[in-house]
Each structure stands twice: as structure tokens, then as C-alpha cells.
Amino acid sequence: STLQPRPPSLFAELRTTMAAVEDTAPVPRANEAAAGTGDGDAAAEEEAPTDFAWMPEGCVPMADGEYEVVVMGTGFTECLLSGLLAIMGMKVLVVDRNGYYGGEAASLNLTDLYKKFMNGESPQADFFAHIGGASGPAADRDFNVDLVPKFIMAHGNLVKILLHTKATRYLDFKAVEGSYVVKKGTVCKIPVTGTEVLASGLMTLFEKRRFRNFLLYMADYDESEPATHKEFIGHAMALYMNDEYMNQPAIHLINAVQLYANSLTHYENAPSP
């Protein structure tokens, strides 16, 4: 993978761009329009080799032909924008000074990794033998080391953008084998199946039931559907006079509900807090 997380503001801009792309038909280029007219001179002109006489002495062309957009670098942002521009019908050239894709967030094989951190020097044979150990010399692509490890939510906006731009043709995804937390010095696996939940010691049986109800509530919650809201807690327990608390950090509501519950149980048989 060659992805690099970016701030949410960038994704907001990209989502706007994607919406515009979906509603916009591919833009025909000038040479395509000429070719469609049946003009023999235009067709002959398109087939003629590109003249690089204007290029300064000592320079060589990086690619044959002319491009509407040239993108410098192959990082996440550059590749994503290149894909969007290509979808819009533009002819795009992407160049990179490195011999690999991904910029500072690339996944490097052993040779590229060695060169990056050893001032461009190529690894010697004993380098691969040392890594391979008893199983023999390691092959160059036995390892792909992420310079910046990436974790992506499967249903997140980033995956949707990658699918839209067809960048997934050049990516390999691997599911994380599991998530873990440390509780009282012990590493515990976060349960993801019913069997794991029952066997997990992270919560008591009653806590598991309450947590299940909480997850069901979160799954059914719809901001535009008042029937899924439990607003009575804010008024009946947190004692808010209006709904302004819904625009505040959740910790304020939590503190208010805790105060209500503790006050109710502070004195035995109290009819109110």
C-alpha cells in the first residue's frame, strides 16, 4: 500500500470534487475532437511525431507526446488527484524522482529500503543472506516495509475514494488479524464474534448486556430520524432546559447524568435526586 492519511479537511474537498466528477461527462480533448471531424489534415497532424526542438540542450524528453497535466510525485494526494483528473478526461503524466511509488509513505522492498537509508548504495549479497537466516538468502520482494504504516476503516470515506478513482487496481489490502488492549497488565483481544464476547474477561456479564444495548442503539441511530433519539435523558436526568446540549461535547451530558444518578442513590429511599 502507498497511502498516507491526510487531515479531514482534505477529504471534504475531495468528496466535493468526486461529486462534481460523477455529474460531469469526460471532457473531449482538442485532438480527439479533430479526429472525429473526419478532417484528413487534422488526423495527419495528430499522427505526426512530437517536435522537441524547443527543448534546451542537454535535456531529454521524459515521455513522448503532450499532456494537459503534469503531476510531480506519487504520494497519496498526487495519485488521488491524478486519478480524478484522468476520470475527467484529461491526459495526465505523473513523474517521481524516486525509483518507487508512494513518496514518503511507500512500501519498499529490501533493495529500495537499503538504498533509502544507506545513501543510495546497493545492498551486498550477505545482506540478503543475513535476513534470510537458516532458510537461505531472502528474496528482494519477500518483504515490503511500510515507511508509514496505514490502518484504513473498511467502510470509511478513504476506501470509497480509492474505489472511485480505481486506485485499488494497484493496491493490496490485508485485514488486521485482531485488535488488542492492555487491562491490568494483561494483553486482551477485543472480541468481534458472539463466541469471543462470551469468553472475554474484559467485561462482566451485566456489563456485556448493557454494552450490547448501547451498540444496538448506536446502530439504529439516525440523525434525521427523531424516533431513534433518546433525548429524554438530556431533559429528565441531565436537567437541560432546551436541546442546546446536543451541540456540546458529550462529557457535559455524562457528568450531568452521573450527578443525577449519584444524587438519587445518595440517600436511601430518596424519591428524587
Side-chain angles (χ1 to χ4, degrees):
S1 176
T2 59
L3 311 179
Q4 184 174 9
R6 297 294 188 194
S9 58
L10 175 61
F11 294 123
E13 296 176 5
L14 291 175
R15 285 196 294 271
T16 302
T17 305
M18 286 175 56
V21 170
E22 293 173 351
D23 298 333
T24 303
V27 180
R29 294 187 292 273
N31 53 8
E32 291 178 346
T37 61
D39 189 335
D41 294 338
E45 181 179 352
E46 182 180 356
E47 295 175 358
T50 303
D51 183 11
F52 292 106
W54 55 269
M55 187 173 295
E57 184 179 355
C59 296
V60 295
M62 294 186 298
D64 55 342
E66 297 180 354
Y67 296 86
E68 295 163 298
V69 179
V70 178
V71 179
M72 309 289 288
T74 56
F76 169 63
T77 303
E78 292 81 4
C79 289
L80 187 58
L81 293 177
S82 300
L84 290 172
L85 293 172
I87 290 176
M88 294 177 67
M90 296 185 179
K91 191 173 182 181
V92 183
L93 173 66
V94 182
V95 296
D96 198 314
R97 61 182 178 180
N98 298 314
Y100 52 83
Y101 297 102
E104 294 302 319
S107 298
L108 304 183
N109 59 34
L110 293 178
T111 297
D112 289 334
L113 184 68
Y114 190 94
K115 288 181 177 180
K116 181 174 180 61
F117 294 101
M118 298 301 290
N119 298 323
E121 297 182 6
S122 299
Q124 302 298 319
D126 58 350
F127 170 74
F128 296 96
H130 178 73
I131 294 179
S135 59
D140 194 33
R141 295 191 62 84
D142 282 348
F143 296 86
N144 281 286
V145 182
D146 271 357
L147 298 180
V148 181
K150 283 77 63 179
F151 290 92
I152 305 174
M153 300 301 289
H155 195 59
N157 289 326
L158 178 55
V159 172
K160 296 176 183 178
I161 292 174
L162 294 173
L163 290 171
H164 178 81
T165 59
K166 298 181 174 58
T168 49
R169 297 176 179 177
Y170 314 102
L171 300 174
D172 291 323
F173 294 92
K174 177 177 175 57
V176 177
E177 299 296 335
S179 301
Y180 299 82
V181 294
V182 178
K183 181 180 181 181
K184 296 181 179 179
T186 302
V187 178
C188 304
K189 185 179 186 298
I190 298 177
V192 294
T193 65
T195 302
E196 291 181 348
V197 169
L198 292 175
S200 175
L202 289 173
M203 296 181 181
T204 65
L205 181 60
F206 293 105
E207 289 175 334
K208 291 175 182 178
R209 289 177 177 175
R210 291 197 296 267
F211 187 60
R212 176 181 178 275
N213 292 334
F214 171 73
L215 291 179
L216 290 175
Y217 165 66
M218 296 298 294
D220 294 334
Y221 183 87
D222 185 348
E223 185 177 0
S224 61
E225 183 54 55
T228 65
H229 303 173
K230 293 186 178 180
E231 299 176 357
F232 71 90
I233 295 177
H235 300 294
M237 299 185 67
L239 306 181
Y240 286 109
M241 301 298 294
N242 52 50
D243 291 340
E244 290 299 321
Y245 72 92
M246 299 182 68
N247 299 321
Q248 300 177 4
I251 188 62
H252 300 318
L253 175 64
I254 293 173
N255 290 336
V257 172
Q258 287 179 341
L259 175 61
Y260 183 97
N262 293 334
S263 299
L264 185 62
T265 59
H266 190 69
Y267 294 103
E268 187 176 0
N269 298 323
S272 69

